[in-house]
Amino acid sequence: MEGVGWVRPWMGVYKINVDAGVLKGEPSIDVKAVISEDSKGNAYPGPEANLQIFPPQQGGDKGLGYQNISSSSEGGGPPPTNTWQGMFSVSSYTQYFNVDTDVVLNRLLSSLDPRTGDFFSKIEANPDLYGLIWISTTLVFVIAALGNLATYLIGSSTWSFNVSFMSLAATAVYGYAIVVPLAFYFLLQYMGSPASLVRFWCMWGYSLFIFILSCFVLVIPVEFLRWVVILLASGVSACFVASNLKSSVEGNDLMLVLVAAFVLQFALGLFIKLWFFV
């Protein structure tokens, strides 16, 4: 025996088919839902599932879900670093190491040409800290190793490897590469000139590259050649810093800043010569 019934709850209309078993006497019920046309328009629109949005939002286009805290809600840009939490987060600095070999080589070659003064325009879209760390670390090991080699080539019978060259070179190079750009950044901010700390660190880091090249020539035990090389290298590096820093200096009263940057960069070269390659 088969029976048909209609039930209309608040969500729609349901059609019920009932087949009664003759032998077993156990009814089998098949329930099919038929939603009327007027109920479709009044149905609650469920939010779309999105596992990238948190906290869950009621309604709206984004719907329910969770948001990844490592990405911004505007479309995947770099995470904000204007808070203390972002400052101590490693992910906040990954964007400053997103450079390939071609970009690094181009910036290294640019640091050897102080005439253009357009280094900031080249790194404006993507300033990096990779050059600062890599060049500074390389310079520390080169100074310590080649400085000891230079003293050995002099031919002294009492020569011994000077381990203190490593600690002294690390203190001088890292201290200069970090503290000096930081000091000029705060100075220019105080004077009202536009400045970017990351761009300063990037520029000063690449300015040390020429000292790596000069150290290999300073090994030659010819004092006159050593002085010529270190004076040329210091002059090129100092001009590179001053010419690029000029774009961040406004007004004649700030020309003293350029002179100070030139003198400090030149003094670093003289320090390398007088302390490690005597």
Side-chain angles (χ1 to χ4, degrees):
M1 181 180 65
E2 178 180 353
V4 179
W6 296 86
V7 180
R8 182 182 179 90
W10 70 279
M11 286 296 293
V13 180
Y14 292 82
K15 180 180 179 181
I16 303 177
N17 295 326
V18 181
D19 294 331
V22 179
L23 298 177
K24 297 182 178 180
E26 297 176 356
S28 172
I29 301 176
D30 182 17
V31 181
K32 298 181 179 179
V34 181
I35 300 178
S36 60
E37 295 295 328
D38 57 345
S39 301
K40 294 181 179 179
N42 298 328
Y44 175 73
E48 298 179 357
N50 189 347
L51 297 181
Q52 301 298 322
I53 300 176
F54 183 84
Q57 299 180 1
Q58 301 297 332
D61 296 332
K62 295 183 179 180
L64 224 34
Y66 305 89
Q67 178 161 348
N68 188 352
I69 60 175
S70 62
S71 61
S72 63
S73 59
E74 298 297 329
T81 59
N82 55 353
T83 62
W84 286 106
Q85 182 179 2
M87 181 177 297
F88 293 102
S89 175
V90 177
S91 60
S92 302
Y93 301 95
T94 54
Q95 57 180 321
Y96 301 122
F97 296 88
N98 186 23
V99 289
D100 53 22
T101 305
D102 295 335
V103 174
V104 174
L105 289 177
N106 183 38
R107 294 177 180 182
L108 289 175
L109 295 177
S110 299
S111 66
L112 301 178
D113 186 8
R115 298 171 299 175
T116 58
D118 59 347
F119 188 78
F120 282 144
S121 62
K122 293 181 179 180
I123 66 173
E124 182 177 3
N126 185 26
D128 69 277
L129 298 178
Y130 177 82
L132 172 68
I133 296 177
W134 176 79
I135 294 174
S136 300
T137 304
T138 305
L139 182 59
V140 169
F141 282 94
V142 167
I143 289 176
L146 297 184
N148 278 281
L149 179 60
T151 57
Y152 173 77
L153 294 178
I154 295 177
S156 176
S157 59
T158 59
W159 179 86
S160 62
F161 188 86
N162 194 343
V163 183
S164 63
F165 276 11
M166 179 65 71
S167 59
L168 180 60
T171 302
V173 173
Y174 286 130
Y176 182 88
I178 295 176
V179 175
V180 170
L182 187 64
F184 276 92
Y185 168 75
F186 284 116
L187 179 62
L188 292 179
Q189 287 287 335
Y190 175 77
M191 293 183 174
S193 296
S196 171
L197 180 57
V198 175
R199 289 180 174 85
F200 278 10
W201 272 334
C202 180
M203 186 264 293
W204 253 283
Y206 281 98
S207 70
L208 303 178
F209 173 66
I210 193 171
F211 292 120
I212 298 177
L213 303 178
S214 63
C215 286
F216 287 94
V217 184
L218 293 177
V219 175
I220 302 175
V222 179
E223 194 65 15
F224 175 77
L225 179 62
R226 287 179 175 180
W227 277 109
V228 172
V229 170
I230 198 61
L231 291 177
L232 288 176
S234 301
V236 170
S237 182
C239 290
F240 171 77
V241 170
S243 61
N244 286 282
L245 192 61
K246 185 179 180 180
S247 60
S248 300
V249 177
E250 297 178 353
N252 296 329
D253 54 337
L254 296 180
M255 289 302 296
L256 183 61
V257 177
L258 301 180
V259 176
F262 183 92
V263 172
L264 287 175
Q265 195 76 8
F266 200 91
L268 177 64
L270 295 180
F271 172 78
I272 294 175
K273 166 62 181 70
L274 294 175
W275 197 272
F276 300 97
F277 298 93
V278 180

